[in-house]
Amino acid sequence: MRTTPTILHLDMDAFFASAEQASKPSLRGKAVVVGGLGPRGVVSTCSYEARVFGVHSAMPMAQARRLAPNAAYLVPRFGLYRQISEQVMGLLRELSPLVEPLSLDEAFVDLEAGETAWDERSALLAGRKLRDDIRAVTGLTGSVGLAACKMLAKIASEQAKPDGLVLIEPGTERALLAPMSVRTLPGVGPATGDHLRRGGITTVGEIAEAGEDELVRLLGKAHGLALYAMALARDERPVVAERDTKSVSVEDTYDVDIHDRVRVRMEVQRLADRCVQRLRGAHLSGRTIVLKVRRYDFSTLTRSETLRGPTDDPGVVREAAARLLEAVDTTGGVRLLGVGVTGLADYTQEDLFAQAQAQAQAQAAVAEGAEVVGPEPVEDVAEEPEPAAERQWRAGHDVRHVEFGHGWVQGSGLGRVTVRFETPDSLPGRVKTFRVDDPGLERAEPLPLVARVPPAVGEG
């Protein structure tokens, strides 16, 4: 392990919710909750103002509404989040060729590999400049952790939240870790934490004191040795820039075993949606859907289903995961659930099916003597305006009105849609209500959070 704090971990602050606040002046400084708004929706991200009321990620949306009834509840805009993520990752790659993204809003950077930092002072300068650049380019804030290894850099960024920078000096790691909960260490979830607690171990320092043999006895050789090394602040994992991704998956471990079959189904649906979000974020699709279930007795079952071709359709993944769940007995209780997709590709088979179908229809029309101008692109069919009466206005999404300009949907129902007209660089805007079929109202693309300044004359 290196002796200089040149591993950087960046974690954007309340990313989705912060992007919504930056986009909507009327929501700045207020409680904002982003996630699924249906009866089975869950919280994806919430602002720090919402966290004051006890709202947190992965919480059922119904519970969040009870805790913070006056918060703004919005549907995610993943297109906008991906654009911002690409800007942030571009800034990270200016620091080093070794950038390891973990999600849209989180990544490790090896500053030493980019010759950006070689000691404590240069690492601090790089971290401060990165935070300033992120704010200037995106209008958002990120928290930065600097340390001699990945584990400690991630712990440092968590301590830096929100909008801060923390550097862990080499030589101070074990003293810093000792009083922390065992749950601080990677790989220690509720089940492992409870197992350690029953063995009289609740802090990282107690793991180090227990010794290697005791950890192996409690957790098995592989997990015990890895956990003991981390308790001693040893983490040899390198920052990996490019990975040959073989699968995309998400899983959750629950503090209390789930016995209600309906709740299990809801959790699987939620995990399927999160898995598809990651899949699309990586511009991938997959052919095999995998369900993972760890039951009350720690027995772990996996079930899989292979489709005709790759997909990134959330409905397809949800339905496949639900079918797989039907073959699993969960009556004794479930402590972990996961949904994954393997057999990855950079295209979706549905597109190929649609093209083939369009060609077949054209050939049939020719055979019947109909006039065919040419095969209409699938994209044009997909973007055909839907009938006005069927338009759906989703809370938080962008719209434009011929008279009032750019705005966003505050809510809709009973044939009406309420819009607040404002932009990222305006004052809080006025609110107007329209019929859902108002011909002057249309969907719009998100506006940049930071106004782009055109280059001066003579500049590239």
Side-chain angles (χ1 to χ4, degrees), residues 376-388 390-391 443:
E376 190 172 9
V378 176
E379 291 86 348
D380 291 344
V381 175
E383 293 178 3
E384 224 175 75
E386 54 191 318
E390 296 179 8
R391 289 191 296 178
R443 294 171 182 167

Side-chain angles (χ1 to χ4, degrees), residues 16 18 92 132 136 159 169 171 185 223 289 318 329 341 356 385:
F16 295 177
S18 294
L92 296 182
D132 291 342
Q159 291 183 329
E169 298 180 9
L185 299 180
H223 199 183
I289 314 304
R318 279 196 301 265
D329 179 10
V341 178

Side-chain angles (χ1 to χ4, degrees), residues 6-213:
T6 52
I7 299 292
L8 179 148
H9 180 261
L10 169 72
D11 196 354
M12 299 294 288
D13 299 321
F15 183 46
F16 295 177
S18 294
E20 297 298 343
Q21 289 177 316
S23 177
K24 303 170 172 62
S26 58
L27 298 184
R28 292 170 191 169
K30 297 181 180 179
V32 174
V33 181
V34 180
L37 303 188
R40 296 185 177 182
V42 296
V43 176
S44 178
T45 310
C46 59
S47 68
Y48 288 97
E49 294 85 355
R51 297 179 191 186
V52 172
F53 298 98
V55 180
H56 58 76
S57 299
M59 171 182 286
M61 192 62 78
Q63 182 181 355
R65 288 184 183 276
R66 290 193 295 271
L67 293 172
N70 296 319
Y73 289 86
L74 308 175
V75 172
R77 295 185 294 165
F78 289 110
L80 172 65
Y81 309 150
R82 278 193 289 270
Q83 291 173 15
I84 300 170
S85 177
E86 289 170 2
Q87 292 176 309
V88 172
M89 296 302 165
L91 293 173
L92 296 182
R93 292 187 180 96
E94 292 177 7
L95 296 175
S96 172
L98 292 185
V99 176
E100 182 179 339
L102 303 179
S103 63
L104 289 176
D105 62 335
E106 185 181 1
F108 286 110
V109 184
D110 187 335
L111 299 176
E112 193 173 300
E115 299 182 354
T116 307
W118 48 91
D119 59 12
E120 182 179 328
R121 180 176 176 277
S122 56
L124 281 171
L125 289 174
R128 289 168 183 158
K129 183 178 184 303
L130 173 64
R131 293 179 59 238
D132 291 342
D133 289 346
I134 288 173
R135 189 188 293 273
V137 171
T138 70
L140 305 181
T141 64
S143 296
V144 169
L146 292 160
C149 67
K150 291 168 73 172
M151 176 188 73
L152 291 167
K154 185 171 174 62
I155 289 172
S157 70
E158 190 64 32
Q159 291 183 329
K161 283 189 167 293
D163 191 19
L165 184 153
V166 168
L167 181 146
I168 298 178
E169 298 180 9
T172 67
E173 297 97 340
R174 288 190 61 178
L176 174 77
L177 287 172
M180 293 183 176
S181 165
V182 295
R183 292 289 301 278
T184 304
L185 299 180
V188 181
T192 301
D194 189 53
H195 202 55
L196 290 170
R197 182 185 57 78
R198 289 196 298 269
I201 298 173
T202 59
T203 67
V204 177
E206 289 169 346
I207 290 178
E209 291 173 5
E212 203 171 72
D213 292 342

